[in-house]
Amino acid sequence: MLGEFASFGIEGRKRTAEVYARLCNYLTGRGINVIISTISLYHSVHEYNRVNNDNYYEILLDVGQNVLINRNKKGLYNPGAIDVMGINQEPEFPKNPDLILKNNLENQLKENIDKIIELIDPHPKG
């Protein structure tokens, strides 16, 4: 749907993050609420999102490197792997995220969901 742009080198990752940012801008501009999870660790993408998306919340998932390596769902952390963010690519972590969540343990999930809901709707109905 969005075309072939899946490259895991720095420029490919940045291009992918920019496509996702523009897609979110397109959807939010039409009144659609969007939640997207990306490895968009580039300051230029963060700044674009802040300027161009109303009701934008930047949430950083802080996951320990050892946890990422143990989870390794996509096989990214196999010996000899290249183009891995945080291993041989330097991430640009958000300068001022709205929320930082630890995401190391499964039992943190409910607490993290509650924190997100509080961020986006600090005065729930009921």
Side-chain angles (χ1 to χ4, degrees):
M1 178 173 131
L2 297 175
E4 182 58 44
F5 55 87
S7 166
F8 296 105
I10 292 172
E11 288 307 311
R13 285 183 184 274
K14 191 170 187 179
R15 188 172 50 250
T16 300
E18 290 167 349
V19 167
Y20 289 154
R22 287 191 305 273
L23 175 61
C24 290
N25 175 256
Y26 174 82
L27 294 170
T28 59
R30 278 136 189 87
I32 299 170
N33 294 323
V34 176
I35 298 172
I36 187 166
S37 173
T38 68
I39 302 176
S40 300
L41 297 174
Y42 302 100
H43 294 148
S44 61
V45 175
H46 306 154
E47 291 163 12
Y48 173 91
N49 286 330
R50 285 234 182 256
V51 169
N52 292 289
N53 292 302
D54 292 335
N55 299 315
Y56 172 73
Y57 300 98
E58 189 171 80
I59 301 171
L60 175 64
L61 294 179
D62 182 7
V63 183
Q65 194 68 37
N66 61 329
V67 174
L68 291 172
I69 291 169
N70 286 333
R71 287 179 182 165
N72 201 21
K73 290 182 180 182
K74 295 183 179 180
L76 297 174
Y77 299 97
N78 293 336
I82 58 171
D83 293 333
V84 179
M85 185 64 71
I87 300 288
N88 45 30
Q89 292 179 6
E90 189 66 33
E92 294 178 3
F93 290 106
K95 294 176 182 177
N96 295 301
D98 297 289
L99 187 59
I100 300 173
L101 299 175
K102 293 284 187 190
N103 190 29
N104 294 313
L105 305 171
E106 193 171 319
N107 65 1
Q108 291 174 308
L109 181 60
K110 169 117 177 56
E111 178 183 341
N112 287 344
I113 291 170
D114 291 343
K115 288 177 182 179
I116 293 169
I117 291 170
E118 175 65 25
L119 172 67
I120 64 175
D121 187 14
H123 306 292
K125 298 155 190 74

